[in-house]
Amino acid sequence: MQEITVPPNGRPSRSTIRFGLCCLFAAQPIKFRQTTAQALAPLPREQQLERLSAICQHNLQQVSQAMRYLVEQGIGAFRLMSPLFPRHSQPQVGYALADLPEIEAIYHQCQAIRHFQGQHDLRLSLHPDQFNVLASPHPQVVANTLRELECQGELAELLGVEVINIHVGGAYGDKQAAMGRLQTNFPRLSTRVRSRLTLENDDVSYTPADVLPLCRQLGIPFVYDVHHHRCLPDGLSCERATEEWLALWQALGREPYGHLSSPKHGWASAKPRPHADYIDPADFPDPWRGQAITVDLEAKAKELAVRRLMTELMPQSAF
DNA sequence: GCATGTCAAGTTGTG
DNA sequence: CACAACTTGACATGC
């Protein structure tokens, strides 16, 4: 294992802003593996588990490499791929971790990751995908969501992941009713999931003005995606939303988590939603300057985008 | 090798 | 009404 040297390039080791990378790498040779239920289905159970076990080990090894790189670069947060353990909760080919043939090695890898994360103050998060809808009126959808979130919670505990972030989901023509269903379903989650769960504003239905009160009622933090807020504005200014966002996390004694990205086709385009390769420093919200927060950067150029924004913003005294 | 269609799952808006 | 977009490609198949 390489010796970690922080800071690189003579820059200060920590700004008050902690920047985060999402899931993947553009240039670094760090790749995650996957498999599909269809590919597994024809195999005997034993072979399915062998294959899954190998993929899990590969992915954990890649996480270790990713974390070492991030620490070297002064990048303080990392969003893990949600299918790190592929098909974990899938009804037909899903599995309990204890069933994997190499489970001892896997636990050992997890422990090493958790230890490294703690040693280097690297903040880990998970962002289970769009199929997880606690506000759905369909019991089956909610049941699938609960099952998947519990798998994510198990993973989070093993790896030292602090945040499991999801969206509220669909509106079904009545946002208040949908948010009520989410509140009803929330207590059905285990403590290990509830203690990590956060809700994020999206760009089609739920704005910060919707999600902030919901989070307050549930006693969980709000992840502020400022790009979504710009795509789907509400009565709240960025300043106001930022104040409430920070207050919520501070009340819980935790460091605020936000998301930032730039529009691929510019703000004037008809569709500002798709993410650009890099972050335009002008898109960094003024009210966020100087705050002790974590900002995940959603940019196609991945680690290159994080490094570029950090170099562009660091020299300024505001950081 | 390389190109291409497919992958568990939900919901919404667009063409 | 089919399909892309969403945090994001990688896998599996066929040539």
Side-chain angles (χ1 to χ4, degrees):
Chain A
M1 192 183 289
Q2 270 186 345
E3 189 57 43
I4 303 304
T5 52
V6 183
N9 311 329
R11 287 201 300 270
S13 60
R14 272 297 300 272
S15 68
T16 55
I17 311 280
R18 180 203 297 263
F19 287 101
L21 172 73
C22 297
C23 309
L24 303 172
F25 290 79
Q28 287 296 302
I30 294 170
K31 300 276 180 212
F32 295 93
R33 289 186 57 199
Q34 261 279 28
T35 188
T36 62
Q38 262 194 18
L40 292 170
L43 303 175
R45 186 59 175 164
E46 198 179 337
Q47 281 181 40
Q48 289 181 357
L49 293 172
E50 278 170 17
R51 194 146 164 185
L52 288 161
S53 191
I55 294 175
C56 291
Q57 288 184 85
H58 170 88
N59 287 347
L60 290 172
Q61 195 185 336
Q62 298 301 295
V63 169
S64 293
Q65 286 194 34
M67 294 199 311
R68 260 178 270 152
Y69 172 83
L70 296 175
V71 168
E72 281 171 21
Q73 298 297 324
I75 298 171
F78 185 42
R79 182 191 301 178
L80 300 169
M81 298 269 298
S82 44
L84 199 68
F85 288 2
R87 312 283 78 87
H88 193 176
S89 75
Q90 205 271 350
Q92 276 75 49
V93 302
Y95 48 96
L97 296 188
D99 293 340
L100 298 174
E102 301 287 342
I103 186 59
E104 288 308 323
I106 288 172
Y107 281 147
H108 189 76
Q109 284 178 290
C110 289
Q111 191 187 0
I113 289 169
R114 196 168 64 240
H115 180 72
F116 186 91
Q117 171 271 325
Q119 288 276 304
H120 297 279
D121 184 31
L122 190 60
R123 223 176 170 201
L124 299 179
S125 67
L126 284 162
H127 199 345
D129 45 20
Q130 64 270 29
F131 312 111
N132 293 284
V133 189
L134 284 176
S136 176
H138 313 294
Q140 193 54 55
V141 172
V142 175
N144 290 344
T145 300
L146 295 171
R147 192 152 33 83
E148 170 64 13
L149 289 178
E150 292 304 331
C151 283
Q152 298 275 311
E154 184 180 14
L155 190 56
E157 198 165 69
L158 284 170
L159 298 178
V161 172
E162 184 201 327
V163 163
I164 300 175
N165 180 45
I166 60 172
H167 293 281
V168 178
Y172 316 91
D174 186 344
K175 283 198 272 189
Q176 288 308 319
M179 289 191 286
R181 284 193 296 273
L182 189 150
Q183 287 200 61
T184 306
N185 290 323
F186 181 76
R188 300 173 65 187
L189 292 162
S190 66
T191 306
R192 75 176 169 196
V193 174
R194 286 203 308 270
S195 64
R196 293 175 169 89
L197 202 71
T198 62
L199 294 173
E200 175 186 346
N201 61 303
D202 64 64
D203 56 1
V204 286
S205 304
Y206 294 93
T207 66
D210 296 316
V211 184
L212 277 160
L214 178 59
C215 285
R216 251 179 242 119
Q217 288 199 21
L218 292 168
I220 65 175
F222 165 65
V223 170
Y224 183 20
D225 187 317
V226 71
H227 181 76
H228 288 160
H229 196 198
R230 288 163 175 162
C231 289
L232 182 69
D234 52 16
L236 294 179
S237 63
C238 182
E239 289 76 8
R240 189 63 198 283
T242 298
E243 277 173 31
E244 297 193 28
W245 166 54
L246 299 179
L248 237 173
W249 285 87
Q250 281 154 10
L252 297 162
R254 297 171 66 185
E255 182 176 316
Y257 224 116
H259 294 173
L260 174 66
S261 52
S262 284
K264 188 178 180 68
H265 308 292
W267 286 109
S269 76
K271 301 209 294 185
R273 278 185 212 149
H275 294 165
D277 290 347
Y278 288 89
I279 308 290
D280 182 346
D283 287 328
F284 191 92
D286 281 334
W288 289 14
R289 288 179 190 274
Q291 301 290 345
I293 56 178
T294 297
V295 181
D296 273 355
L297 302 183
E298 296 174 337
K300 302 278 185 192
K302 296 297 167 190
E303 81 276 21
L304 305 179
V306 180
R307 292 183 57 184
R308 183 185 288 188
L309 187 71
M310 284 172 70
T311 16
E312 284 168 338
L313 294 181
M314 285 285 209
Q316 296 174 15
S317 57
F319 292 86

